[in-house]
Amino acid sequence: MMDGKLLTNTYLGNVVEKLHIAERYVTMDSRYEENVEILKEIQPIRVPASDIEVKLGATWIPEEYITQFVKEKFKLENKDITIFYQKNLEKWFLEKNDYCNNVEINDIYGTSDIDALDLTIEALNLHAPNVYKKIDEKTVIDKEKTMLARQKQDMIKEEFSNWIFSDVERRKILEDIYNNTFNSIVDREFDGSSLTFPGMSPLIKLDPHQKNAVARGLFSEYATLLAHCVGAGKTYEMIATIMEMKRLGIAHKPLMIVPNHLVQETAKSFYELYPNANILIATKEDFQKQKRRIFAGKITTGEYDAIIMAHSSFEKMPMSREVEEQHINNQIFELEMAQRDTKNRSTIKQLETAKKRLRKRLKMLLEAKRRDDVINFEQTGIDYLIVDEAHLFKNLFIHSKLSNVAGAVGANSQRASDLYMKTEFLLEKQNGKGVIFATGTPVSNSLSELYIMMKYLEPHVLEQTGIYSFDEWVSTFAEVVNSLELDTSGKGYKVRQRLARFYNLPELMSLFRMVADIKTREDLNLPIPKIRGGKPEVIALEPSTELETFMDKLVKRSAKIQRRWSKAKRR
């Protein structure tokens, strides 16, 4: 039996999957009929085809429809061609056993330099075509031919968008796939009004949104992202969540990591909220070579309400060699399985190259000398990780074909890679929980930061929906656009590809809100200083002669760097 409150708190989330489970159980036990009926009532409103935006390259589209489109549009019905997606390589391939040559391929939808089939494969793999030419023995982009090829590719993309839902049966099948995959979530609202917080200072009262945040951390099926604006009280939210998890037995050894300069301030806030808390505060001295083993012993054998340490200290507790070795071996196994599933020679060759890279990395790991003074993270017994200012770890490496697209791929930070391996370990250990992030700016500079947060906190959801890789995620929810931007010198303009727009946004946000608790300044009605005049004012100043001279030097340096980069890229 269920009342409305229990339904709200525990019976939402992925209600499509839960309905399928309940329907299986009802065949064995009629008592589950009530569960089935309730779940049917709260299924998400079906998204019609008219509200689904499909781009050429979306990996949730069945391969046979891509092949069908190419054959119909390019008049190749009698040709033996197949287009397929190799998930392990995250790449679309064309297998062609017949010679293909007609006016559609070479003229209407293609050019004399790149035919329509190649343009289609490029579009499927999120690539914009380039045509090159030789000038004085130098290879440069032919701007006119490149522009023509890109216009033809845009034409193919538009034809696909018009074609994909034109058939009634195909539209129904694709609607079912999309809704079952991406429109299966009903957002849960967490109510923390009943929480009593034993041991908390009577001088401090948490606001309703803070109590609700604690309830999410305690009762959610997933990891948590406290995406609350500055001033919302995230520090108290994290501390209260830790103490309640410890009291209820949800966590036994929680670790809270904070920016280096905030360790003592966080400890002070901890004691303000819970005066009798028993916390272990890690200092720089604790991670000196001669003291690491002693400190590791404190963590392992001590009974603390929480452990607090700096981000930099956290990096000095790496995962063990055995865990990293297993991680690499799993990747190699996936590539070997992919080799068995394909007969395409080009695919097999690329898979083999990827395997060689991983085996080289594994060899370096195994040959490295073991260090006795290193504290292995999993040996400490830490079972819950709370990361303050989590945006500082956003530079996680992303494997992507969009390397030349602005806003797509960021830097490769060792700090972020280290955190990712540890969160992956905890999520597996805690069945999808075990990690709480807190930041006021989960997305600040590029759209890819949203994907990175999802990869940290809900990788299993990305995998279940078929968008685990960044390119798969982009193909479903984001769009690369050509935009005119100032060049690096600040004095000229250039056309640049940029990841600049989301689409199918409601479904993307439903997936994101499975882990994210989002509170803006407007949501909380926080007081902020008023701007004189009511709005920002731009004050422009004339540049001085010295500044103009300096800018001219920068322009020349930028041009030299660009020429060197272009030469290196062609090699």
Side-chain angles (χ1 to χ4, degrees), residues 333-484:
F333 177 76
E334 290 176 3
L335 294 174
E336 289 174 342
M337 291 300 100
Q339 282 183 311
R340 296 180 186 180
D341 293 338
T342 182
K343 297 180 180 179
N344 183 275
R345 291 182 179 179
S346 176
T347 306
I348 293 172
K349 186 176 180 181
Q350 292 187 53
L351 287 166
E352 191 61 39
T353 301
K355 279 170 55 181
K356 286 180 180 178
R357 285 198 300 266
L358 287 171
R359 283 176 174 150
K360 182 179 179 181
R361 180 179 159 196
L362 181 61
K363 183 180 178 183
M364 292 174 62
L365 175 70
L366 295 176
E367 291 178 351
K369 185 179 179 180
R370 287 183 180 270
R371 294 175 55 189
D372 294 332
D373 61 332
V374 172
I375 307 170
N376 291 328
F377 177 75
E378 66 270 31
Q379 293 175 343
T380 63
I382 291 166
D383 59 355
Y384 236 97
L385 177 64
I386 296 86
V387 184
D388 190 22
E389 305 296 351
H391 59 275
L392 297 175
F393 297 87
K394 67 183 179 182
N395 289 328
L396 182 66
F397 173 73
I398 300 175
H399 173 68
S400 173
K401 299 184 288 289
L402 302 174
S403 56
N404 294 326
V405 176
V409 181
N412 182 9
S413 162
Q414 178 59 38
R415 176 168 63 174
S417 298
D418 174 72
L419 177 63
Y420 178 70
M421 189 172 292
K422 292 168 183 174
T423 57
E424 188 179 43
F425 169 77
L426 287 173
L427 290 174
E428 183 176 350
K429 182 179 179 180
Q430 299 283 20
N431 195 27
K433 297 189 63 170
V435 181
I436 296 176
F437 278 12
T439 173
T441 53
V443 180
S444 56
N445 296 321
S446 68
L447 302 188
S448 62
E449 293 171 13
L450 181 62
Y451 167 79
I452 288 172
M453 287 295 167
M454 296 177 75
K455 185 173 182 181
Y456 270 126
L457 298 175
E458 48 182 337
H460 55 295
V461 173
L462 294 176
E463 192 166 1
Q464 288 170 2
T465 51
I467 53 172
Y468 183 76
S469 77
F470 180 65
D471 291 347
E472 291 169 331
W473 183 85
V474 169
S475 74
T476 304
F477 293 122
E479 184 176 14
V480 178
V481 299
N482 294 318
S483 59
L484 193 64

Side-chain angles (χ1 to χ4, degrees), residues 297-310:
K298 286 183 180 180
I299 296 177
T300 305
T301 61
E303 280 294 329
Y304 302 101
D305 292 323
I307 303 160
I308 302 174
M309 70 174 59

